[in-house]
């Protein structure tokens, strides 16, 4: 339903701002206000987005559109062009501003600086006032985070996380953390061992409804060359779906989530992880509800404290932390490259065709499903990218394109700061670098792989192990002042020069062959 007269204010709802609880401004006037939404092909092609990511966004947007229409609210909605011609949010908005000539555009601060800049430029060029409002979905405002960050030489999640726990009284006993400790990460690093994982929940996700099925068919037609097998699409696209998935996670997976959240296993993509990051990032699920339900599950004796605390740390700690860094440091942060990485992204990142069993498993999984849990992202794909020296901008774009829950505010700090150490230590205290032994310890990927994680040279040398020593060798001077790298650099110093020469040669050979 579109207002019969020109609106005084356009209320822009972006594809990741589908907050059913907070979309209606307190000063909303149906006679003067018009909601505005648009599906633009550019949002799927500026990086070659996985089909699961595209469908998740578009189906969620159409369900939100239907919700607004059910409330008989005035709405202008641009649907993706069936003819396949390219479209941009800026073009749609500029045309509508010229047509309706509103006085104001109201927009919640976007989670992508590219989108924010483009739309703000259009709005300014048309002489319209921009009313940018804080995103109330988050527990920590941008201003609060900047106050936390100012005056610190480096940021650390742990200090921010404790502030969030105290402020919101989550897993607290008065002014003390429940159980006496703030962090139970040491209890959350178990591997499955040779016996493999215990049975994990199999009934995960939400079957696609008619709206989602229409979007799946559309995406297969318009983006046939994009990665993703949509026959397995089961992502939540409504608040009801998201709530049901959260409840299933708490009931079936949370008790073992903590112990095994860092473990990996072939052909076991979800294990005991939740599937709620995508609906959280689209605002279909409120983080306050998620952490309270998990807290209640622990207090009821359903899940150990280590599991509940690990989940809470991800949601009100890490998630809020990376968003704060993004809003504080963009746009320059995205181009950081502290280690001077200059390698191009290998083609096999788009095919999954690699002799490395760990990379083949993780890449194939994400290319097909748009999903990978945080250790697969950080300590397999991210680790390889760091050690190889892939340019941070290229690997960041790949992460943004590939994951169903990817939004720029999420991927950029996680890749630039956490995974690639490209910010020089603002976000993480050291590079997350390891040999193939880590992957061997935390998974079964190495079993049957042609490479041996213990070998750094020779025909059976694991590329992760070879590249690890090559990485330390290349950056020993840069990292020499980092106290947390001292043990690894001492181990490097124990290698004889002839061994290092072999490693350099093997690393160079790997780069040229892959």
């Amino acid at each position: 339903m579109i207002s019969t007269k020109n609106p005084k204010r356009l209320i822009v709802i972006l594809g990741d701002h589908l907050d059913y609880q907070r979309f209606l401004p307190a000063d909303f006037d149906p006679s003067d206000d018009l909601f505005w939404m648009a599906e633009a092909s550019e949002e799927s092609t500026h990086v070659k987005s996985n089909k699961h990511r595209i469908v998740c966004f578009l189906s969620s947007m159409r369900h939100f559109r239907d919700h607004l229409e059910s409330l008989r609210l005035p709405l202008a909605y641009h649907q993706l062009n069936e003819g396949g011609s390219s479209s941009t949010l800026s073009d749609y908005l500029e045309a509508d501003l010229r047509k309706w000539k509103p006085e104001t555009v109201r927009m919640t601060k976007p989670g992508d600086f590219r989108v924010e800049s483009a739309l703000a430029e259009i709005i300014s060029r048309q002489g319209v006032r921009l009313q940018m409002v804080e995103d109330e979905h988050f527990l920590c405002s941008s201003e609060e985070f900047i106050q936390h960050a100012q005056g610190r030489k480096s940021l650390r999640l742990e200090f921010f996380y404790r502030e969030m726990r105290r402020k919101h009284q989550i897993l607290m006993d008065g002014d003390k953390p429940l159980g006496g400790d703030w962090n139970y990460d040491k209890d959350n690093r178990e591997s499955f061992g040779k016996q493999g994982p215990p049975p994990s929940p199999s009934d995960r996700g939400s079957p696609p409804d008619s709206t989602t099925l229409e979007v799946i068919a559309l995406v297969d037609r318009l983006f046939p060359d994009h990665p993703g097998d949509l026959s397995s699409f089961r992502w939540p696209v409504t608040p009801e779906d998201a709530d049901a998935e959260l409840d299933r996670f708490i009931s079936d997976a949370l008790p073992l989530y903590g112990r095994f959240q860092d473990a990996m296993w072939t052909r076991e993509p979800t294990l005991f992880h939740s599937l709620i990051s995508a609906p959280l990032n689209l605002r279909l699920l409120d983080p306050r509800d998620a952490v309270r339900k998990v807290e209640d599950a622990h207090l009821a004796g359903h899940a150990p404290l280590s599991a509940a605390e690990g989940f809470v740390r991800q949601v009100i700690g890490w998630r809020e932390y990376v968003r704060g860094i993004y809003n504080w440091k963009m746009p320059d942060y995205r181009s950081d490259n502290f280690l001077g990485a200059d390698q191009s992204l290998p083609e096999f990142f788009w095919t999954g065709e690699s002799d490395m069993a760990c990379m083949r498993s993780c890449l194939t999984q994400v290319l097909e499903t748009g999903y990978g849990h945080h250790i697969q992202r950080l300590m397999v794909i991210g680790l390889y990218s760091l050690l190889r020296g892939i340019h941070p901008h290229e690997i960041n774009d790949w992460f943004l394109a590939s994951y169903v829950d990817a939004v720029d505010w999420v991927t950029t700090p996680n890749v630039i700061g956490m995974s690639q150490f490209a910010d020089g230590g603002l976000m993480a205290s050291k590079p997350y670098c390891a040999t193939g032994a880590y992957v061997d310890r935390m998974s079964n990927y190495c079993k049957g792989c042609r490479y041996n994680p213990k070998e750094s040279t020779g025909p059976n040398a694991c590329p992760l192990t070879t590249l690890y020593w090559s990485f330390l060798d290349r950056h020993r001077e840069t990292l020499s002042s980092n106290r947390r790298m001292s043990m690894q650099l001492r181990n490097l110093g124990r290698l004889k020069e002839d061994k290092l020469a072999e490693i350099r040669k093997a690393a160079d050979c790997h780069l040229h062959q892959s």
Side-chain angles (χ1 to χ4, degrees):
M1 180 177 74
I2 298 181
S3 175
T4 56
K5 67 174 186 176
N6 286 0
K8 291 183 179 179
R9 182 171 65 168
L10 278 188
I11 303 173
V12 171
I13 305 290
L14 297 174
D16 62 333
H17 286 163
L18 310 179
D19 192 333
Y20 283 67
Q21 298 181 36
R22 303 178 183 87
F23 72 90
L24 196 66
D27 60 348
F28 176 75
D29 184 344
S31 64
D32 288 330
D33 289 338
L34 176 65
F35 286 100
W36 185 93
M37 299 178 69
E39 304 171 3
S41 61
E42 182 189 35
E43 298 310 301
S44 302
T45 58
H46 78 96
V47 291
K48 192 175 183 179
S49 291
N50 191 288
K51 292 178 183 178
H52 285 263
R53 180 175 185 260
I54 303 173
V55 171
C56 195
F57 269 81
L58 294 184
S59 181
S60 298
M61 288 175 68
R62 293 188 182 189
H63 282 91
F64 191 83
R65 172 202 64 191
D66 294 346
H67 177 66
L68 295 185
E69 291 181 343
S70 73
L71 298 175
R72 301 189 62 79
L73 293 172
L75 168 67
Y77 191 95
H78 294 279
Q79 197 156 294
L80 202 63
N81 191 324
E82 281 275 9
S85 59
S86 61
S87 55
T88 71
L89 292 174
S90 297
D91 288 345
Y92 280 135
L93 183 59
E94 185 167 32
D96 286 345
L97 292 179
R98 286 175 174 171
K99 178 171 62 175
W100 290 319
K101 297 180 173 56
E103 298 173 2
T104 303
V105 170
R106 183 188 193 273
M107 180 167 61
T108 299
K109 184 174 177 58
D112 188 324
F113 188 82
R114 172 188 59 86
V115 172
E116 179 180 343
S117 299
L119 297 186
E121 180 183 351
I122 293 298
I123 294 166
S124 174
R125 196 159 69 205
Q126 293 301 314
V128 178
R129 185 174 75 93
L130 173 59
Q131 181 187 11
M132 187 79 77
V133 299
E134 179 68 37
D135 191 343
E136 295 180 356
H137 165 86
F138 291 92
L139 283 76
C140 179
S141 70
S142 298
E143 183 178 344
E144 287 175 307
F145 186 85
I146 291 173
Q147 290 175 356
H148 166 84
Q150 282 177 337
R152 299 175 188 261
K153 292 182 179 179
S154 60
L155 296 177
R156 294 296 172 260
L157 168 67
E158 187 64 28
F159 304 123
F160 173 76
Y161 170 55
R162 293 181 186 186
E163 288 183 11
M164 293 294 289
R165 288 266 298 274
R166 289 190 187 100
K167 177 182 176 182
H168 297 282
Q169 285 296 295
I170 298 169
L171 292 178
M172 296 294 292
D173 182 9
D175 62 348
K176 302 292 183 183
L178 198 64
D181 291 321
W182 289 103
N183 187 314
Y184 291 88
D185 190 46
K186 63 182 183 299
D187 298 326
N188 294 344
R189 302 172 185 168
E190 288 189 39
S191 64
F192 295 127
K194 294 181 180 179
Q195 71 275 14
S200 58
S202 57
D203 183 24
R204 308 294 295 275
S206 306
D209 63 9
S210 59
T211 298
T212 301
L213 289 172
E214 288 178 5
V215 173
I216 286 173
L218 174 68
V219 169
D220 269 334
R221 286 197 305 273
L222 296 185
F223 307 102
D225 298 330
H226 286 228
D229 177 3
L230 292 175
S231 66
S232 63
F233 187 92
R234 293 179 66 85
W235 294 102
V237 292
T238 67
E240 294 77 17
D241 288 347
D243 285 339
E245 189 56 40
L246 173 63
D247 290 343
R248 276 193 292 270
F249 164 70
I250 292 172
S251 172
D252 302 339
L254 179 62
L256 292 178
Y257 164 77
R259 286 175 60 194
F260 297 123
Q261 65 174 291
D262 285 6
M264 301 172 282
W265 204 258
T266 305
R267 290 184 292 278
E268 291 280 355
T270 55
L271 290 165
F272 303 99
H273 292 265
S274 76
L275 298 181
I276 65 168
S277 58
L280 268 175
N281 291 348
L282 297 185
R283 317 296 191 264
L284 304 178
L285 183 65
D286 192 297
R288 298 160 187 81
D289 295 339
V291 296
R292 290 301 182 192
K293 282 188 174 183
V294 166
E295 181 181 43
D296 289 345
H298 164 66
L299 295 176
H302 177 65
L305 179 57
S306 60
E309 187 277 320
F311 179 88
V312 166
R313 186 168 6 112
Q314 291 293 324
V315 176
I316 71 161
W318 192 251
R319 186 170 182 267
E320 299 279 339
Y321 181 63
V322 299
R323 188 250 184 177
I325 288 176
Y326 184 87
N327 285 337
W328 181 38
K329 288 296 183 180
M330 284 294 285
D332 294 339
Y333 191 78
R334 208 175 195 277
S335 60
D336 280 357
N337 190 2
F338 175 72
L339 296 175
D342 59 3
Q343 292 291 310
S344 297
L345 187 79
E347 180 61 27
F348 72 82
F349 270 64
W350 295 108
T351 66
E353 297 172 1
S354 172
D355 288 343
M356 301 172 63
C358 59
M359 287 292 285
R360 182 172 64 249
S361 180
C362 292
L363 288 172
T364 300
Q365 175 184 303
V366 71
L367 289 170
E368 290 180 354
T369 69
Y371 176 78
H373 67 69
H374 67 283
I375 293 298
Q376 293 172 315
R377 302 188 200 200
L378 175 66
M379 295 307 297
V380 179
I381 299 173
L383 172 64
Y384 178 82
S385 303
L386 172 71
L387 300 181
R388 182 175 177 125
I390 296 173
H391 196 289
H393 181 78
E394 291 197 36
I395 187 60
N396 192 23
D397 276 353
W398 182 87
F399 270 87
L400 179 60
S402 298
Y403 290 90
V404 70
D405 58 359
V407 186
D408 200 53
W409 71 264
V410 180
T411 59
T412 294
N414 273 296
V415 175
I416 297 297
M418 184 71 168
S419 173
Q420 303 304 295
F421 202 67
D423 67 1
L426 172 73
M427 186 173 178
S429 59
K430 64 182 285 292
Y432 276 79
C433 56
T435 68
Y438 175 86
V439 175
D440 191 26
R441 183 169 68 253
M442 298 306 298
S443 75
N444 69 334
Y445 295 150
C446 299
K447 184 179 181 181
C449 182
R450 60 163 290 196
Y451 299 118
N452 185 339
K454 296 179 181 179
E455 296 184 19
S456 58
T457 58
N460 299 321
C462 172
L464 286 178
T465 303
T466 303
L467 293 173
Y468 167 81
W469 293 113
S470 174
F471 172 84
L472 292 181
D473 182 40
R474 292 197 312 276
H475 300 298
R476 70 166 80 203
E477 184 175 345
T478 302
L479 299 175
S480 61
S481 60
N482 189 313
R483 289 181 294 176
R484 293 200 64 201
M485 293 297 296
S486 58
M487 183 178 71
Q488 289 166 292
L489 292 176
R490 282 198 301 271
N491 290 336
L492 175 70
R494 296 188 180 100
L495 295 181
K496 295 181 179 179
E497 185 55 37
D498 58 347
K499 181 65 173 179
L500 266 179
E502 289 182 35
I503 289 172
R504 293 177 190 128
K505 183 177 179 181
D508 188 62
C509 183
H510 175 76
L511 296 183
H512 285 90
Q513 289 180 349
S514 58

